[in-house]
Structure formats: structure tokens, C-alpha cells
Amino acid sequence: MKQEVQKAINDQIRAEFQSAYAYLAMSARMDEMRLPGMAAWLKLQWEEEIAHAMKFYEFMLQRDARVDLLQLNAPDADFSTALECFELVLSHEQKITAKINKLYQLAVAEGDYPLQTLLQWFIDEQVEEEENARNAIDALTLVGDSGPGLFMLDRELGARKPEAEAAE
Ligand code: OFO
């Protein structure tokens, strides 16, 4: 695999682990805010991001490329309402989408067909990730940041199933 492609995938592995780290921090904040359903939703998101990182990791090993695990930063979980939290989720996912698209452009430019195939899954996944965040923002905008509406929405988001189970 070309050096530039390996470097870009290692950077994407870091971005996926960084996402996991961010969602775990957000989950802890939601727990503090007594919103256990949203905390559980974010914790599932944490698990999914680890799985994303590992997809790239296994792909690198399969192709005899070099995995370099890079340094993570302290995550940004600076919000004071559930709505602000999901706005942060959406803007984070939009940044990840831009990174995946850039990686795809590199895979095309370098003629790396296996990477293009792998990235098809991620391109679809990003559409879903952004949609989930937007749906939560729409619901929170409707119900507001307190009262029975928020309580019900917290329960609804807490019922989210892991991806594998949801597909069954
Ligand atoms: Fe890995 O999709 Fe979110 O960040």
C-alpha cells in the first residue's frame, strides 16, 4: 500500500478512536445531567466508533500495511443542554464525513480499489450517523430542554439497540 494512503488511514483510525473518546465524554456528561437514556445512546455510539476504528485497523493488517496508533486529544464535551450535546454530535459527524470523503478522493487518485470498496460502507454509514443526530436535534427542538417531553425522549433514545441487533 502506498505510504501516503497508509498515513491517511492511520489518521482515520485516530479520528475514529477520537470520536469514541468524545462520545464517551458526552455520555458521562449526560449521566451527570440525569439523562440516562441519552447517556446510553452515546455509549452505544462510543462502541460503534471503536468498531469503525477496528475496521480500518484490520484492513491495514490484511494488506500488510503498518498500523501507527496516534495520540488522542482530550475530548470536547462542553455543553449545558441535551440540544447542545446533539448539535455537537452533528457537527462532529459532519467533520468525519468530510474526512471520509477526502480519504475516498485519495483512494481514487491512487487507484486503491480495495480501499474504495471499504470506504463505500463508511460513506453510507456517515449518511446514517448524520441523520440520527439530525433526528435527535429535531425532537429536542420540539420538546424543549425540560419537562415530560424531555423525559419521554430520553426513554426513547435509551431504547436504541446496537447496530448488529437492530439489523436482525
Ligand atoms: Fe465513525 O462515524 Fe461517527 O464519527
Side-chain angles (χ1 to χ4, degrees):
M1 198 191 290
K2 293 195 179 147
Q3 284 298 326
E4 201 190 338
V5 176
Q6 291 189 49
K7 200 167 166 284
I9 296 177
N10 277 318
D11 189 54
Q12 191 63 39
I13 292 174
R14 194 201 71 83
E16 301 293 345
F17 278 126
Q18 186 69 52
S19 297
Y21 210 26
Y23 288 128
L24 193 59
M26 289 183 201
S27 178
R29 285 285 290 124
M30 285 299 202
D31 212 82
E32 274 169 42
M33 289 163 66
R34 302 290 178 262
L35 291 165
M38 295 186 197
W41 191 99
L42 288 156
K43 209 160 167 207
L44 270 186
Q45 196 65 24
W46 163 67
E47 276 175 20
E48 279 195 10
E49 298 302 347
I50 301 274
H52 293 174
M54 294 310 289
K55 266 185 199 277
F56 283 114
Y57 173 99
E58 300 294 351
F59 178 77
M60 291 283 269
L61 295 184
Q62 265 184 325
R63 295 187 61 200
D64 210 17
R66 188 190 167 110
V67 170
D68 280 321
L69 295 179
L70 307 171
Q71 188 169 355
L72 300 180
N73 300 322
D76 174 16
D78 189 16
F79 53 83
S80 45
T81 65
L83 179 59
E84 281 173 20
C85 173
F86 281 93
E87 282 169 346
L88 202 58
V89 171
L90 179 59
S91 74
H92 180 79
E93 286 306 328
Q94 285 167 335
K95 282 185 208 136
I96 296 295
T97 300
K99 276 185 81 61
I100 292 284
N101 291 347
K102 231 173 135 204
L103 191 52
Y104 190 82
Q105 281 162 12
L106 179 67
V108 171
E110 296 294 339
D112 193 321
Y113 300 110
L115 180 56
Q116 288 173 40
T117 303
L118 176 74
L119 287 172
Q120 286 298 337
W121 184 90
F122 279 94
I123 289 166
D124 294 343
E125 177 72 5
Q126 283 311 121
V127 171
E128 205 183 301
E129 298 264 72
E130 288 190 26
E131 186 192 14
N132 289 343
R134 241 181 255 112
N135 287 345
I137 290 171
D138 288 348
L140 280 162
T141 306
L142 273 178
V143 305
D145 261 322
S146 62
L150 184 63
F151 177 78
M152 294 305 288
L153 184 59
D154 184 62
R155 288 183 80 167
E156 192 185 313
L157 288 173
R160 176 185 178 184
K161 301 239 180 325
E163 219 167 48
E165 254 180 67
E168 277 168 13

